[in-house]
Amino acid sequence: MERTNVFRKTSFYIDGQWQEPLAGKDYSVIDPAMETAFAMISLGGDVDVDRAVVAAARAFTVWQESARYERIELLERLLAIYTQRMDEMAQTISREMGAPMTLASGPQVQIARRHIRAMIDVLKDYQFDHPLRADAPNDRILHQPIGVCGLITPWNWPMNQIAQKVAAALAAGCTIVLKPSELAPLSAMLFAEMIDEAGFPAGVFNLVNGDGPGVGHAIARHPTIRMVSLTGSGRAGEAVMLAAAPTFKRVVLELGGKGANIIFGDSGIAESVRRGTLQCFNNTGQSCNAPTRMLVERSYYDEAVAVAAETARSVTVGPPSEEGGHLGPLASGRQFDIVQDYIKSGIAAGARLVAGGVGRPEGVKRGFYARPTVFADVTPDMRIAREEIFGPVLSIMSFDDEDQAVALANANDLGLANYIQTADQTRAERLARRLESGVVVLNGATRAPGSPFGGMKHSGNGREGGRWGLEEFLEVKAVSGWSS
């Protein structure tokens, strides 16, 4: 692997300071646009996790007793520092995972800011201590921090997940050991600098870089860690649950998705299809809530296929360093290979390729760039219809009526987010109740800050965001005989 101007950043943030690993192994961070190493980090081991957990456990004895106003003040300070350094964060995210600067400086960094702000607002009003109900004043409900928490975050929206988990854990009074993705670790390390600058007590937040089988496994099975929150693949979720089982810790999982976008003819086919196609391709298709299955009312199917194909052909790819609405590369060579394999499987299964296809876009010789791809005449048994691809690949199917649309949408092990496009609001709300997913979006609506996010079935358990996200980090204690 070619290395040009590689800088080393091998230390971990433990107990309020940057410390060199005890069991570190060098790992190259690859620029996905150039396929070259540009940074060197260290992958830690069990002893590094132990050191971080000891620090977090020691800090928890004090942090769990901190006053609400103290946590709010520190989170407000973190938010201010994050806001001041968003340009630096955007540059880091763009370089490590390939997001074009317009995306990196927009949604990639802004959504994290929104999560921190929303959690501060929740913390201001949340009742950690309250009577069971008016007619039972001597029964008290206490919501108390669960303890040391292991947070395992992905590479596709690095700050989105880190900010969401960290803000909730800190607001709850928990202490943290964070393992970011080794593919996109530098944004997490920058965030650790912000935590330090904000003045959080030593040991409240700790960061150990590593891979899943190493640091991830050590976090999941560590007896002192009382809760693990993972965002990642189904395979990673299964591994974490198995490793965590002997210690009976709480496990919260936000896993993959295979979102269905149900489009009725009365929604305005051209605009609905165009919007859905672009949303599928957003972040180069590397979003767990992407609407990757487009289900179209049969009498409008041909028009929808034509619009989706034309939309895909209008999408360009380009360097992450540039502004614009283009797609960047996929985040890694491994992800590029996975996406290519899925495209090949769609062709082999008999789906009709109407845009894109195998290989890099025309004229692109270097970088993990995939072609924006659309398949028509997809059937539910095909891999491209059943499995999460995590690339710019859209599968289109038709339906005859509401029942068939719902059956197709639900005929999947994954249940994270689904979408409905129709001018009939009553129908939209009726179908929303029937869809098996943790999130349903009607007619392109924007989700409000603090809205819960998470999945059903193989898309995981638990929720992030708002009071639901805070409560994942709290234990509920019922006390009888309390003074009224």
Side-chain angles (χ1 to χ4, degrees):
M1 181 67 65
E2 179 184 346
R3 296 179 181 175
T4 306
N5 299 322
V6 176
F7 67 91
R8 293 184 64 86
K9 198 162 185 173
T10 56
S11 55
F12 303 149
Y13 185 75
I14 298 175
D15 206 14
Q17 57 186 314
W18 292 95
Q19 303 185 30
E20 286 302 308
L22 297 176
K25 180 175 68 174
D26 282 354
Y27 181 86
S28 296
V29 182
I30 306 300
D31 180 338
M34 300 302 294
E35 302 184 48
T36 55
F38 73 96
M40 182 72 69
I41 65 166
S42 184
L43 302 182
D46 288 11
V47 289
D48 299 297
V49 173
D50 284 338
R51 182 164 59 167
V53 171
V54 167
R58 184 168 56 244
F60 179 68
T61 61
V62 177
W63 182 246
Q64 68 173 326
E65 302 294 341
S66 60
R68 183 195 307 260
Y69 79 87
E70 294 178 272
R71 298 176 199 173
I72 291 172
E73 286 181 358
L74 285 166
L75 286 168
E76 292 274 17
R77 203 175 303 160
L78 173 62
L79 179 61
I81 293 166
Y82 182 88
T83 301
Q84 293 167 0
R85 302 182 71 176
M86 283 197 302
D87 287 347
E88 185 180 357
M89 182 63 77
Q91 292 282 350
T92 301
I93 290 173
S94 179
R95 186 78 187 277
E96 68 184 359
M97 58 79 60
M101 280 305 301
T102 300
L103 177 65
S105 60
Q108 282 279 4
V109 296
Q110 292 288 350
I111 197 169
R113 182 172 178 268
R114 187 175 74 168
H115 288 324
I116 299 171
R117 177 75 266 167
M119 189 50 61
I120 292 170
D121 292 340
V122 170
L123 179 56
K124 288 177 179 178
D125 298 324
Y126 190 79
Q127 293 187 10
F128 289 91
D129 180 335
H130 58 84
L132 174 62
R133 57 180 182 267
D135 67 339
N138 300 116
D139 284 70
R140 200 79 179 173
I141 302 299
L142 310 180
H143 300 266
Q144 298 180 317
I146 195 170
V148 179
C149 298
L151 311 181
I152 303 174
T153 57
W155 46 262
N156 60 319
W157 288 87
M159 272 303 103
N160 171 42
Q161 296 307 130
I162 288 174
Q164 185 116 285
K165 295 180 193 295
V166 169
L170 295 176
C174 296
T175 56
I176 295 164
V177 178
L178 169 68
K179 187 205 87 67
S181 169
E182 68 274 22
L183 296 181
L186 303 177
S187 53
M189 298 176 85
L190 178 57
F191 188 79
E193 292 180 16
M194 298 177 189
I195 290 276
D196 186 76
E197 187 179 347
F200 282 87
V204 167
F205 173 94
N206 306 274
L207 180 149
V208 180
N209 280 318
D211 58 17
V215 169
H217 182 73
I219 286 173
R221 65 180 175 81
H222 201 288
T224 305
I225 291 179
R226 296 309 314 142
M227 182 258 208
V228 174
S229 177
L230 163 81
T231 299
S233 66
R235 184 179 63 179
E238 181 181 1
V240 164
M241 290 183 76
L242 289 171
T247 53
F248 297 96
K249 57 173 57 70
R250 182 180 300 173
V251 177
V252 175
L253 302 173
E254 194 264 277
L255 307 176
K258 192 67 179 176
N261 189 7
I262 302 173
I263 300 178
F264 291 89
D266 65 357
S267 67
I269 284 293
E271 179 54 29
S272 293
V273 171
R274 178 182 176 278
R275 182 175 64 234
T277 304
L278 292 176
Q279 189 175 356
C280 172
F281 294 160
N282 185 40
N283 202 36
T284 317
Q286 299 168 127
S287 298
C288 53
N289 62 340
T292 54
R293 292 183 294 153
M294 183 175 286
L295 313 181
V296 183
E297 193 171 0
R298 188 176 301 278
S299 56
Y300 298 89
Y301 180 76
D302 291 341
E303 179 184 356
V305 170
V307 171
E310 180 56 34
T311 302
R313 287 191 287 266
S314 71
V315 173
T316 59
V317 303
S321 58
E322 294 182 0
E323 301 279 350
H326 59 276
L327 301 188
L330 294 160
S332 68
R334 180 176 181 273
Q335 192 59 34
F336 178 84
D337 291 341
I338 289 171
V339 172
Q340 299 306 306
D341 181 65
Y342 273 111
I343 294 173
K344 292 173 185 176
S345 79
I347 295 171
R352 177 161 55 102
L353 183 67
V354 296
V358 177
R360 294 183 176 90
E362 186 176 351
V364 176
K365 305 298 183 185
R366 191 179 200 184
F368 306 130
Y369 295 93
R371 301 171 68 187
T373 297
V374 177
F375 284 104
D377 304 345
V378 176
T379 57
D381 59 302
M382 295 179 182
R383 285 182 64 211
I384 58 172
R386 292 184 290 106
E387 300 175 15
E388 183 177 51
I389 298 173
F390 236 52
V393 182
L394 176 65
S395 298
I396 308 180
M397 293 174 269
S398 64
F399 65 85
D400 291 312
D401 54 30
E402 290 184 19
D403 288 343
Q404 187 182 18
V406 170
L408 285 169
N410 290 342
N412 196 283
D413 290 334
L414 300 171
L416 185 59
N418 286 310
Y419 304 79
I420 302 170
Q421 321 295 331
T422 177
D424 185 340
Q425 185 68 17
T426 301
R427 173 164 61 186
E429 294 171 8
R430 181 170 62 246
L431 295 188
R433 295 180 183 277
R434 299 177 62 190
L435 293 175
E436 296 171 351
S437 57
V439 174
V440 180
V441 178
L442 309 181
N443 296 313
T446 300
R447 299 180 70 247
S451 178
F453 185 83
M456 299 179 181
K457 302 188 291 189
H458 291 196
S459 287
N461 57 63
R463 294 294 181 267
E464 293 183 311
R467 67 176 179 84
W468 297 271
L470 178 67
E471 288 173 346
E472 296 291 356
F473 294 92
L474 298 171
E475 290 280 24
V476 178
K477 181 182 291 183
V479 183
S480 298
W482 198 273
S483 171
S484 60

